[in-house]
Amino acid sequence: MISDLSLSKNVQFYELNKALTKKSIEDTFKEISKERVGNYLLNEPKINHTTASGNQVIYSIVSYKIEAEPSFLAGTSVKEQKYAYLLLIECDDALAILKKYVDSPDKHFSSFIDEFDYEKFCHFHGDKKPEYERVTMKNMSISNAVIRSRSLEAKSLNGIISSNSSSRSIPSNFRMKVGEDSYTLTPSTSRVSHRDKKSAFDGLIDWVIEIKEEIKITTNQSEFLSNFASPICLKDIIDLGHQVVAILIDLTEIETKVLNGVAVLSKADGIQLNSLEINRLFNQLKSPILVDGNLMKVKGSTLAGKVSYSKNLITIRNKLLDSISVTENGSDSYSIGGYINKEKPFSAVFDSPNYSYYSKSCFEDKHLVNNIQSILNIFDDSYNFNGIGSEKEKPHAANLTRFPANSLFRKVEDQYCVPHNIVICDDMNDEWSDHIAIDSNSAIPSISFIHSKFTKKDTYGASAFHDVVAQALKNIGRTQAEKQLFKNKYDNEWHKNYESTNISRVTGAQNWQDLEVALDAVNQNPNSIKKIVLATPFLSKAKLIRELNKLALGQKCKPHYVQLIWLINTFISSCKDFGVQAHILCKP
C-alpha cells in the first residue's frame, strides 16, 4: 500500500540526534491512535527503503479510521468517517514528519530531535535571490498597545518593508519564490511547503532529502530576512553571560477590575485591602523592579523573593504577591503572584539592549544600537518646561478660562500650540489625546496629537514613559480618523467647556464649519503632516544622550535606560508604520 501514497510536499523538518527506537515509535503510534475505529489501515514501524534514485531512508507509518462530528454541527450524534495518518521519514541526521488529523508528535520524540537553527531555517534558499511574496510578522514590542501581528503581500516584498519596522518583528510565516518554485515556510513549526503537484512515495522521499540538504548548507544570505528580529531562547541569552536587570509588571487588568468594583483584594487572613493599601500596591508595581542577582528592588525597597529562569520563561516569586488574593464577582479567586506567573504580563530587559523579553517570548533586535542617533533626534529640548507643578492642576475653579500658568497643559498651549490656528483640548472621557493642534494656514498643513505626562520628579524609569507611550499608541489609529468622527466628537464634547470650568475646549474655531474647513485643508493635501507629540518634562535630553551613547560605544548603562530605549523605538516604529511623525518634547 505504501506505493499507493499520493502526498503533498508539506513537511516538518527536525534535526535527528540519534535514530528513533522502534519502541518509541510503537508507543507514539499507540498513543495517537487511541480514538481509532476498527483495525489499522497501516502500521509499519522502522522500514528500510531505497528509492529508484538510490536515496536510502527508514520510514514509519500508521494510518487508521476515526469518527467525529462534522465541524458544521454541534451536539448531534451525526458522525463522519475520516482516515488519519502519520508518516515519519528518518534520513541520516534529519527527521521529516507528514500527518493528517494527528497532533504534532514532536513532543513524543523530544529526546531524539532538535529544531533546526532558526537562522538557517529562515534563510532557506537565501543565496538564490528569492522573491518574497507574503510575510506574516509578529511584533516583538514591549508595549501591549501595538498591533501584535500583521500580514503583507506583494509580487515582491523585497525592498518594500522598511528596516525600522522589520527589525521590530519576527517572521512567523512567509511565502517565497525561487525561480519557478514557490515555498511557504513556518519557522515556529519547522514546516516547509512546496507548491507542486502531489507526489508518489519515492518522489516525496527524494524531495525531503533535497530540502534537508538545502537547510543544512544554508548560510545567512537573505538580505530581506536579515532585517528582521530573531527569536531567541531565554537560556541562550543567560548562557551568553547576560542578566535580567529590570522587570516591568503590567497589572492594569486587575487594577481596573478592582477600581470598577468587579474584584476585591484580600490578604492571607481574609481581610480585604483598604483603598490606601490598594493604591500603594499598584503604584509601587508601576515602577520597574530592578534585579541584581537574587535581589529585587522597587523604588529603593528590597522585595522578598527571587526571579528564576527556565529555557524560555521568567518566573517571579514574591511572598507578598503570593499572599494577596483576587476575588472576582464573589467567586473566582487567585493570587496576584499566580496571575503574574500564569499570564506573564511583564516585560524584562537585560544588561544588553540587543535583547528583550515580553509576554513569554525573548527576541533580539540586531539593529537597535545602530539606531540610537535617530532615536535621539526625535527629542526636542527647545521648550521651557521650568516651573511646572502639575499636569492640569486640579481641582479647577469654576471661573477658570485657561489652565493654570504652572500646569503642563498651559505650557503646551502657550508654546507648542502657538503656531497652530486651531487647538482642541480632548482631555477626559473618550480622549484621543490631551490636545489636538491643527495648522491649516501653512503651505504644508499639519495636525498634531499631543499626549502629556507630568511627574513630580525627573524620572528615567520606564513606568511614566510607558504610560504616555501606551496612551499614544492606543490611539494612533485616530491620526487617520474620518472627518465624521471629528464631527461626532465636536457635537458630543468639544462644543462644550472643559468639565465645570469656563475653559473652551476649542480655540480658533467658532463652530463646526470652521473646524471642518481646517480638517479639509489637512486631509486634501497629500503632503500634509500628521504628528504624535509626547510632552515629557520629566526627561532631560542631555542625560539621555550621555547614557545612550554608552550603549552605542558598547558600554553598559543604567538598566532603566535599556528599557527606555526599547519603548522609544517601539513608539518610533509604530509611528512610521502609520506614516506619522514622532516627536518628544523634553527638558535640555
Side-chain angles (χ1 to χ4, degrees), residues 326-343:
V326 183
T327 304
E328 295 185 27
N329 299 317
S331 56
D332 298 333
S333 184
Y334 53 89
S335 72
I336 291 182
Y339 169 83
I340 289 172
N341 288 315
K342 179 182 179 183
E343 302 298 330

Side-chain angles (χ1 to χ4, degrees), residues 421-424 438 483 486-487 489-491 494-496 504-519:
N421 53 298
I422 294 178
V423 178
I424 303 165
I438 304 171
K483 187 169 64 176
F486 281 87
K487 186 176 188 307
K489 291 282 284 183
Y490 185 88
D491 291 342
W494 295 346
H495 73 282
K496 306 173 187 175
S504 296
R505 280 194 176 270
V506 180
T507 57
Q510 299 300 314
N511 48 46
W512 164 247
Q513 287 70 29
D514 290 348
L515 181 54
E516 183 179 27
V517 169
L519 289 170

Side-chain angles (χ1 to χ4, degrees), residues 262-321:
V262 177
V264 295
L265 302 182
S266 305
K267 303 173 188 176
D269 57 10
I271 298 175
Q272 292 186 11
L273 273 67
N274 60 43
S275 58
L276 185 64
E277 291 171 323
I278 290 170
N279 289 334
R280 186 187 304 129
L281 173 69
F282 288 121
N283 287 336
Q284 189 175 40
L285 292 175
K286 285 177 182 176
S287 295
I289 298 173
L290 301 184
V291 181
D292 184 5
N294 289 325
L295 288 178
M296 293 188 293
K297 289 186 177 181
V298 59
K299 289 187 174 181
S301 301
T302 300
L303 292 178
K306 68 175 184 176
V307 178
S308 58
Y309 314 98
S310 65
K311 182 179 179 181
N312 293 305
L313 299 176
I314 295 175
T315 301
I316 302 169
R317 295 297 180 198
N318 174 258
K319 290 181 179 178
L320 174 63
L321 297 177

Side-chain angles (χ1 to χ4, degrees), residues 263-441:
V264 295
L265 302 182
S266 305
K267 303 173 188 176
D269 57 10
I271 298 175
Q272 292 186 11
L273 273 67
N274 60 43
S275 58
L276 185 64
E277 291 171 323
I278 290 170
N279 289 334
R280 186 187 304 129
L281 173 69
F282 288 121
N283 287 336
Q284 189 175 40
L285 292 175
K286 285 177 182 176
S287 295
I289 298 173
L290 301 184
V291 181
D292 184 5
N294 289 325
L295 288 178
M296 293 188 293
K297 289 186 177 181
V298 59
K299 289 187 174 181
S301 301
T302 300
L303 292 178
K306 68 175 184 176
V307 178
S308 58
Y309 314 98
S310 65
K311 182 179 179 181
N312 293 305
L313 299 176
I314 295 175
T315 301
I316 302 169
R317 295 297 180 198
N318 174 258
K319 290 181 179 178
L320 174 63
L321 297 177
D322 288 340
S323 68
I324 297 177
S325 296
V326 183
T327 304
E328 295 185 27
N329 299 317
S331 56
D332 298 333
S333 184
Y334 53 89
S335 72
I336 291 182
Y339 169 83
I340 289 172
N341 288 315
K342 179 182 179 183
E343 302 298 330
K344 307 291 182 186
F346 56 85
S347 60
V349 291
F350 299 79
D351 52 11
S352 166
N354 293 332
Y355 307 102
S356 191
Y357 175 101
Y358 178 75
S359 187
K360 306 180 185 179
S361 298
C362 284
F363 53 100
E364 178 183 11
D365 186 340
K366 300 165 188 165
H367 304 275
L368 186 60
V369 173
N370 296 331
N371 290 335
I372 283 179
Q373 190 53 53
S374 66
I375 287 171
L376 289 170
N377 285 340
I378 73 164
F379 285 87
D380 186 346
D381 59 357
S382 64
Y383 296 92
N384 181 5
F385 286 134
N386 292 329
I388 295 176
S390 67
E391 191 167 286
K392 45 201 169 190
E393 199 168 304
K394 283 191 168 185
H396 295 134
N399 62 350
L400 270 184
T401 57
R402 297 288 309 277
F403 286 103
N406 61 346
S407 68
L408 177 55
F409 275 26
R410 179 68 171 270
K411 293 280 188 180
V412 168
E413 291 174 353
D414 285 353
Q415 295 182 65
Y416 182 83
C417 294
V418 166
H420 302 77
N421 53 298
I422 294 178
V423 178
I424 303 165
C425 178
D426 191 32
D427 181 51
M428 304 300 289
N429 301 322
D430 178 30
E431 65 180 63
W432 293 359
S433 60
D434 292 316
H435 288 89
I436 300 172
I438 304 171
D439 174 11
S440 59
N441 294 333

